Amino acid sequence: MTTAALDYVTVSDPSEGSIRLHTPAAFEGMRKAGRLAAEVLDMLTQHVVPEAVTLDLDRLAYEHVRAAGADSATIFYRGYSHSLCISVNHVVCHGIPSARKLKDGDIVNIDVTVVVDGWHGDTSRMFLVGDVALKARRLVEVTYECLMRGIDMAKPGNTLGDVGHAIQSHAERNRMAVVRDFCGHGLGRVFHDAPNVVHLGKPGRGVLLRPGMFFTIEPMINLGGSAVKLLDDGWTAVTRDRSLSAQFEHSIGITETGAEIFTASPLGHTAPPYAG
């Protein structure tokens, strides 16, 4: 272990190379960033309704982040130009805000990353628009359960294989499929860092979890098959079979006893339908 900065040290992993272990001061930075990211989604809740324009939701998020004296991590990131990714129905992730209006019965993932004093808070939630069909609601419920089962396994001495297995086994038990093409990631002062957090795996395999690790868990679960394809815009990923997809994401830090969720909703919004 070697000192790399005032707010982290590094350890070596055979598959990932260097992984940062952060200090208590870094945890405080991530709490602030995570809270703001969660506040953005809390603020948007009342606006995610039938006829809402996704570009208007993006504008509201941008204004909220700027008013807080923070930045949107995704603006200018690899050419992206929005504060949010908004993924509707069969869009798996990275849906681009546009003039599209939400419709009654849609399910929507909204993903936001903010930067507060150099720290990244990254989170996403599903929203139900109007009267949503039972199968779609069940997909959203299972996806949230997958996220929380993964977080429950994120503790010192366990591995990322334990996290992935908890997610995969619950999804497949409910006859749903885990997307293989995208994964969670380390973060902190860096937006995307080691380790890669794959949402499937075998118990006891993969990176050993240690206190001070920061990463996202963000399972994408499909009602149909796991295959996805990328659209011509270079960002939007959709299910190949046009089945519905859902995702939830939290940024977490490994503590001495488990995981701290940095992006928990200040209003207590967990799985939809959200109260208030």
Side-chain angles (χ1 to χ4, degrees):
M1 185 179 296
T2 58
T3 301
L6 292 178
D7 49 29
Y8 69 87
V9 296
T10 60
V11 294
S12 295
D13 177 82
S15 61
E16 294 282 351
S18 293
I19 296 177
R20 303 172 204 251
L21 304 183
H22 295 84
T23 65
F27 273 77
E28 185 56 33
M30 288 297 288
R31 289 182 190 115
K32 293 178 182 178
R35 182 181 178 88
L36 178 59
E39 286 174 351
V40 171
L41 298 184
D42 284 351
M43 176 274 297
L44 289 173
T45 300
Q46 63 181 314
H47 300 285
V48 183
V49 295
E51 299 301 309
V53 176
T54 59
L55 198 58
D56 290 342
L57 300 178
D58 184 68
R59 175 184 51 79
L60 288 170
Y62 174 80
E63 291 172 352
H64 189 93
V65 172
R66 296 300 294 168
D71 294 307
S72 297
T74 50
I75 294 180
F76 305 127
Y77 179 78
R78 297 183 179 178
Y80 200 73
S81 57
H82 298 282
S83 296
L84 302 176
C85 293
I86 303 180
S87 303
V88 183
N89 294 333
H90 72 288
V91 178
V92 175
C93 61
H94 304 156
I96 301 172
S98 68
R100 174 177 183 162
K101 291 183 179 180
L102 299 179
K103 297 184 298 184
D104 185 71
D106 284 344
I107 60 172
V108 185
N109 178 268
I110 300 182
D111 191 338
V112 61
T113 307
V114 302
V115 186
V116 179
D117 298 329
W119 296 100
H120 290 74
D122 188 2
T123 187
S124 80
R125 284 182 216 157
M126 293 301 298
F127 295 82
L128 306 178
V129 183
D131 186 15
V132 174
L134 182 60
K135 278 190 175 182
R137 286 177 175 267
R138 183 57 183 154
L139 169 65
V140 171
E141 290 172 359
V142 169
T143 304
Y144 178 75
E145 291 164 1
C146 283
L147 170 68
M148 299 311 296
R149 284 169 182 259
I151 291 174
D152 285 345
M153 296 305 292
K155 62 186 70 174
N158 279 0
T159 68
L160 286 180
D162 295 319
V163 173
H165 178 74
I167 293 167
Q168 180 184 10
S169 59
H170 187 63
E172 293 178 353
R173 192 179 303 121
N174 284 277
R175 299 186 178 183
M176 299 176 190
V178 178
V179 171
R180 268 73 167 164
D181 298 64
F182 300 95
C183 63
H185 53 88
L187 82 170
R189 290 196 180 276
V190 178
F191 190 175
H192 293 97
D193 202 2
N196 290 319
V197 181
V198 180
H199 302 113
L200 63 162
K202 295 182 178 180
R205 302 284 183 88
V207 173
L208 179 68
L209 300 181
R210 304 168 185 253
M213 287 182 175
F214 295 166
F215 53 85
T216 69
I217 302 178
E218 47 185 294
M220 289 155 253
I221 309 298
N222 297 345
L223 265 183
S226 62
V228 305
K229 66 178 181 179
L230 192 65
L231 298 187
D232 292 340
D233 60 30
W235 286 101
T236 308
V238 300
T239 54
R240 282 195 173 273
D241 59 10
R242 303 284 293 185
S243 64
L244 293 176
S245 186
Q247 179 190 23
F248 283 90
E249 175 184 14
H250 274 314
S251 298
I252 68 170
I254 303 300
T255 68
E256 296 292 335
T257 57
E260 177 178 348
I261 300 174
F262 297 127
T263 48
S265 164
L267 296 182
H269 293 170
T270 54
Y274 306 115

